[in-house]
Amino acid sequence: MIFKTIVKEDLKKLFNVHLKDVECVGPKQVATSNDGKAVYQFLPFESFDEINLNHEKTEYSAKTYFLPFRETLSTFNFKNGDWDQEIKYRKQQRVLVGLHPCDINALVKLDKVFAKDLFPSPYYRSRRENTFVIGIDCDKPCTDGFCASVGADVVTHGFDLFLRDIGDKYFVKVGSDRGLNVLNKISPTDISPEERKSYRKKTKEFLAGFKNTIRVENLPNTLDIEFESPVWKKWGDKCLSCGSCAMVCPTCYCYGVSEQISMDFKKSEKVKQLYSCNLLDFAMVAGAHNFRPARETRLKYRYYHQHRGFVESFGEPKCVGCNRCGRACLANINPVDVISDLQMEL
Amino acid sequence: MNAILHAYEVTKEEDMVEPLDYNRRSRMKNFDKCFKAEITNIIRLTEMEKLFQLRMINEDDKNRFTFLPGQFVMLELPGYGEVPISISCSPSIKSIIELCIRKAGKVTEALHKAKRGAVVGIRGPFGTHFPMEKMKKNNVLLIAGGLGLAPLRAPMTYVIENRADFKDVHIFYGAKDPTQLLFDYQYEQWHRIDDINLQIIVEKPDELWTGPVGLITKLLDDIAIDPDKTYAIVCGPPVMFKFVCNRLKDMGVPMQRMFVSLERRMHCGMGKCCRCNIGSTYTCLDGPVFDYWSVMNLKEAI
Ligand SMILES: Cc1cc2nc3c(=O)[nH]c(=O)nc-3n(C[C@H](O)[C@H](O)[C@H](O)COP(=O)(O)OP(=O)(O)OC[C@H]3O[C@@H](n4cnc5c(N)ncnc54)[C@H](O)[C@@H]3O)c2cc1C
Ligand code: SF4
Ligand code: SF4
Ligand code: FES
């Protein structure tokens, strides 16, 4: 991997001058919470001053730029009792800046499902390849995340450029050829031994700062054995089946497809919409038979996919430990508590 | 300003310019694209079920569309939606695809109103298939309950076409009452085939019924099988296949030689939407055909 450093001011120049004509998305403050904390979301910006790379974390993940909440898969145009099918892939360029290690690791996991596995998705690939990703390391662990427990605190790939704040400069990991091309616009310098030291020191401090942990060793096995555990009922009884957790989660990708006819009956759009396995009709089939009628079976299934199913398919959990689901949940259901509860069930 | 970033055209990828072929699962393709097919015949089977005979409109599509018994397609009715349906005909006949469809909801009801000549879309084939090659040189039990005859019809026609490759062949079919029997116009033909034991049983007979009465497991009372040389395909609702498979297990047939087909909600057929998951198993990729051992080891209830 190529390492460089850039002067902080130059990053601003990169956006305000060189990337002026490209759609840029970054962490923007959208509100202030009741306890006085800034609330951030990944949103398009015009000028670099609108975003804050020191954000703790965005409430929603960046997945919406790869797996939008609603996406047209194809359009059927009707003509004289016949039809033709039209398929379009999004190919506009976009720059996404300010993704934390958890966010990038989430993208790497989505890549496994949508870009590499069986039936690679051209919808996803087109968006992914046309998005220039600039990540940034967290200065210190966020208050509620547990990325270190699930191995998502460090990134090695899945980005074009990856920054770490080392004082008056950014230490930059270059993850792609186009990353280097873009970086070269703002004359990066080779890293000095001091800069390398300061990068490693910062990283060490970051890793030492984690307080939230869950024990994931043997978790797939525990999940299997505790499939009937009363812990599921306990948490399931609190769940409102609202699906917010899956909406904000950077790796939840399940969806439903429906068709919408235009008012003039001239065409019909086949629309994919993100879904959540916590919603009541997720596994409902014709004749109103529901394979997961109980709340706890749906809640359990979500944890099962995160920490058991995905491990079976790809050898790692799907969860990156950002705790966005925990923050969004009105019932206070969060992975640290649920998993600890399950691990303790003896 | 000269572009700092370069546009990527997914449609120009090598894989994408290849003709559409769902059997090449690792290739990137226009996976939402359907093959256009015309409904050439509609055969009314019962009050609730119709058999649709389809023909691919494009000659190339027709030649490329190959499937194995047990696989399913996503059938698209533009404007209404897409539903998973088992292919219910012989894989050796290229010209037509038969789908036996029950009127069950929005899309299937619209299909039942469709007329000959209507154009629908087909994506697929998807999923696993019955291991017909492995079953050769063995006795086969083909058992269906209710609508289970729809998925069973593909392996059944395969066995009939390749009768010489199999030892004893038993076909058992059960339904609630005689009005629900599917493909009744074909029994005569199947009966006449030399050396196939076809038995049909109903739970509630009417005055005209002369055949056996009872549950499908009753038909197993009268046969002797060599469990080491027997394979079974059992299609029907879970209660039915569980009874039958457990009975066969008691008769000594290994669980790994019994095959069933499962149904779950499906929105993609390609391991993406997760709607078809049973625990961590994808019914659309790892199934719909499973051996009974795998079914018994699925994490969630069947
Ligand atoms: C592998 C497989 C093979 C099948 N083979 C056949 C067959 O040969 N003949 C037949 O009549 N039926 C078959 N079915 C069931 C058939 O798919 C459903 O009856 C059909 O989807 C109902 O759709 P609907 O729009 O009419 O009903 P609605 O209740 O209006 O359904 C709305 C949507 O829910 C989903 N859905 C509802 N029920 C099911 C279901 N059972 N399975 C999957 N998705 C569902 C579909 O996406 C559907 O568009 C099969 C199902 C599967 C999974
Ligand atoms: S956000 Fe909380 S209440 Fe809503 S579905 Fe998820 S776990 Fe249940
Ligand atoms: S499950 Fe929760 S903690 Fe894990 S990645 Fe999703 S939102 Fe983050
Ligand atoms: S049908 Fe979408 S994952 Fe199986």
Side-chain angles (χ1 to χ4, degrees):
Chain A
M1 179 151 318
I2 298 176
F3 303 104
K4 296 277 179 188
T5 54
I6 53 167
V7 183
K8 278 186 174 171
E9 264 309 294
D10 281 349
L11 186 66
K12 184 168 166 177
K13 201 170 99 198
L14 179 67
F15 281 95
N16 290 354
V17 179
H18 299 288
L19 293 169
K20 188 160 63 41
D21 297 330
V22 189
E23 183 192 354
C24 295
V25 171
K28 254 187 180 178
Q29 185 177 350
V30 290
T32 308
S33 70
N34 289 342
D35 47 358
K37 277 198 196 152
V39 177
Y40 294 98
Q41 297 292 22
F42 284 113
L43 289 172
F45 64 88
E46 296 288 328
S47 151
F48 191 67
D49 297 328
E50 292 168 43
I51 62 164
N52 182 357
L53 290 184
N54 291 324
H55 70 297
E56 190 205 20
K57 109 175 93 192
T58 56
E59 295 307 307
Y60 293 4
S61 67
K63 81 170 166 197
T64 179
Y65 296 101
F66 302 95
L67 300 174
F69 179 63
R70 246 189 221 99
E71 181 175 33
T72 300
L73 294 177
S74 56
T75 308
F76 296 100
N77 300 306
F78 300 116
K79 227 185 295 156
N80 312 328
D82 197 2
W83 49 266
D84 67 53
Q85 187 182 17
E86 187 186 323
I87 302 180
K88 285 199 196 119
Y89 304 109
R90 189 193 193 276
K91 53 179 184 204
Q92 288 92 317
Q93 307 282 298
R94 189 184 264 150
V95 177
L96 201 52
V97 62
L99 276 74
H100 281 161
C102 60
D103 297 321
I104 289 181
N105 280 312
L107 285 181
V108 171
K109 289 178 201 280
L110 291 180
D111 288 347
K112 293 193 170 150
V113 179
F114 288 98
K116 301 206 174 106
D117 201 26
L118 300 173
F119 297 106
S121 161
Y123 300 92
Y124 180 85
R125 271 285 288 280
S126 187
R127 283 171 183 272
R128 183 76 163 107
E129 302 268 348
N130 282 311
T131 307
F132 189 89
V133 175
I134 307 179
I136 183 161
D137 259 321
C138 305
D139 238 1
K140 53 179 193 298
C142 55
T143 46
D144 52 348
F146 54 96
C147 56
S149 307
V150 283
D153 50 340
V154 179
V155 285
T156 54
H157 62 294
F159 53 83
D160 294 287
L161 296 173
F162 197 77
L163 319 172
R164 178 181 269 298
D165 189 337
I166 51 165
D168 50 356
K169 281 187 164 185
Y170 284 118
F171 186 96
V172 190
K173 291 201 247 184
V174 183
S176 69
D177 180 24
R178 65 177 181 181
L180 191 60
N181 282 342
V182 168
L183 196 68
N184 279 338
K185 299 271 175 203
I186 49 169
S187 19
T189 47
D190 289 339
I191 48 169
S192 67
E194 289 73 50
E195 284 165 347
R196 196 178 72 227
K197 226 188 254 162
S198 121
Y199 170 81
R200 294 201 51 196
K201 186 160 163 277
K202 279 265 194 175
T203 306
K204 215 164 139 189
E205 279 167 17
F206 164 69
L207 294 177
F210 277 95
K211 291 194 193 69
N212 273 317
T213 50
I214 51 168
R215 286 180 33 231
V216 289
E217 65 288 359
N218 206 24
L219 186 56
N221 206 358
T222 309
L223 281 166
D224 269 357
I225 295 167
E226 297 300 341
F227 199 77
E228 304 298 338
S229 162
V231 164
W232 295 118
K233 174 100 179 86
K234 172 180 149 190
W235 291 98
D237 279 349
K238 297 183 208 241
C239 177
L240 310 167
S241 300
C242 65
S244 309
C245 44
M247 290 303 121
V248 299
C249 177
T251 64
C252 274
Y253 57 82
C254 70
Y255 62 86
V257 175
S258 58
E259 272 178 45
Q260 292 161 5
I261 297 201
S262 66
M263 295 293 271
D264 57 7
F265 296 104
K266 284 198 175 130
K267 60 178 190 182
S268 171
E269 265 180 73
K270 200 169 157 200
V271 181
K272 164 189 166 196
Q273 185 168 332
L274 292 190
Y275 221 73
S276 164
C277 50
N278 280 308
L279 298 177
L280 177 64
D281 66 346
F282 185 82
M284 184 121 88
V285 293
H289 179 70
N290 194 340
F291 286 100
R292 290 191 205 101
R295 277 179 293 173
E296 70 260 26
T297 57
R298 298 194 296 275
L299 183 82
K300 174 164 69 180
Y301 169 75
R302 181 160 181 275
Y303 277 87
Y304 213 79
H305 191 191
Q306 299 284 7
H307 296 281
R308 170 75 177 81
F310 206 80
V311 179
E312 189 174 310
S313 308
F314 300 108
E316 58 188 61
K318 180 160 97 58
C319 172
V320 294
C322 65
N323 196 43
R324 284 189 175 95
C325 58
R327 285 192 185 203
C329 181
L330 293 172
N332 258 326
I333 302 173
N334 64 82
V336 173
D337 288 347
V338 174
I339 290 169
S340 309
D341 216 3
L342 197 72
Q343 299 275 38
M344 244 129 54
E345 242 272 312
L346 273 184
Chain B
M1 208 182 87
N2 54 349
I4 180 166
L5 296 171
H6 299 282
Y8 163 83
E9 287 260 7
V10 73
T11 45
K12 300 213 170 114
E13 284 277 347
E14 217 175 293
D15 282 7
M16 294 283 282
V17 294
E18 297 255 315
L20 191 58
D21 184 349
Y22 285 90
N23 288 316
R24 306 180 77 169
R25 305 211 265 182
S26 58
R27 289 232 155 182
M28 186 158 65
K29 55 181 90 44
N30 288 309
F31 66 36
D32 199 53
K33 183 123 192 110
C34 19
F35 300 116
K36 274 176 108 171
E38 181 190 9
I39 301 179
T40 52
N41 276 304
I42 302 172
I43 301 166
R44 189 176 43 80
L45 299 175
T46 70
E47 279 293 300
M48 299 299 286
E49 287 94 7
K50 283 182 179 172
L51 183 73
F52 294 83
Q53 293 184 327
L54 312 177
R55 184 179 60 198
M56 297 274 187
I57 289 174
N58 182 308
E59 235 5 79
D60 281 348
D61 293 351
K62 189 186 291 179
N63 292 330
R64 230 170 8 252
F65 185 86
T66 57
F67 69 94
L68 294 162
Q71 289 192 294
F72 67 95
V73 292
M74 294 298 279
L75 178 65
E76 166 75 46
L77 192 57
Y80 293 92
E82 206 179 28
V83 290
I85 301 290
S86 309
I87 308 171
S88 190
C89 59
S90 157
S92 66
I93 301 165
K94 282 258 166 180
S95 49
I96 56 160
I97 302 160
E98 292 183 325
L99 305 174
C100 163
I101 300 172
R102 171 175 287 177
K103 191 160 59 172
K106 191 176 136 218
V107 179
T108 48
E109 254 164 46
L111 258 167
H112 270 242
K113 290 196 190 115
K115 299 256 163 25
R116 184 159 49 86
V119 179
V120 296
I122 285 179
R123 290 192 306 123
F126 295 117
T128 52
H129 55 89
F130 298 108
M132 306 312 295
E133 285 300 323
K134 259 205 243 165
M135 295 167 78
K136 287 183 175 170
K137 298 204 173 66
N138 283 279
N139 306 315
V140 283
L141 292 166
L142 304 168
I143 307 175
L147 189 55
L149 193 57
L152 190 77
R153 215 164 148 258
M156 193 170 120
T157 47
Y158 182 93
V159 169
I160 293 175
E161 283 169 15
N162 299 280
R163 178 68 189 88
D165 295 337
F166 299 90
K167 291 169 92 179
D168 294 350
V169 176
H170 303 273
I171 301 173
F172 296 159
Y173 175 43
K176 273 258 152 49
D177 61 65
T179 64
Q180 295 187 16
L181 289 170
L182 300 171
F183 302 104
D184 51 358
Y185 60 97
Q186 293 198 313
Y187 304 160
E188 183 58 28
Q189 183 193 347
W190 297 339
H191 257 305
R192 285 178 185 231
I193 300 172
D194 183 39
D195 208 17
I196 283 182
N197 175 25
L198 173 73
Q199 301 281 342
I200 293 156
I201 191 165
V202 296
E203 268 175 62
K204 295 193 197 85
D206 56 14
E207 312 81 69
L208 297 173
W209 184 254
T210 53
V213 174
L215 295 173
I216 187 127
T217 38
K218 192 172 158 193
L219 297 175
L220 292 167
D221 293 343
D222 304 330
I223 57 161
I225 51 167
D226 173 1
D228 292 333
K229 289 237 163 299
T230 301
Y231 276 86
I233 295 177
V234 188
C235 296
V239 264
M240 173 262 173
F241 72 65
K242 273 194 236 175
F243 265 109
V244 173
C245 289
N246 286 339
R247 181 64 198 284
L248 291 172
K249 194 175 78 183
D250 294 342
M251 290 164 85
V253 181
M255 287 163 92
Q256 272 153 329
R257 291 210 202 133
M258 303 176 212
F259 296 86
V260 303
S261 178
L262 296 186
E263 274 187 24
R264 281 295 179 280
R265 186 159 186 158
M266 292 186 176
H267 282 259
C268 72
M270 303 179 293
K272 300 276 176 272
C273 73
C274 297
R275 303 300 285 266
C276 68
N277 281 200
I278 310 172
S280 41
T281 303
Y282 288 83
T283 310
C284 66
L285 294 177
D286 310 325
V289 173
F290 292 96
D291 67 57
Y292 193 53
W293 166 258
S294 306
V295 169
M296 293 325 284
N297 282 289
L298 289 174
K299 250 296 148 251
E300 284 179 291
I302 295 306

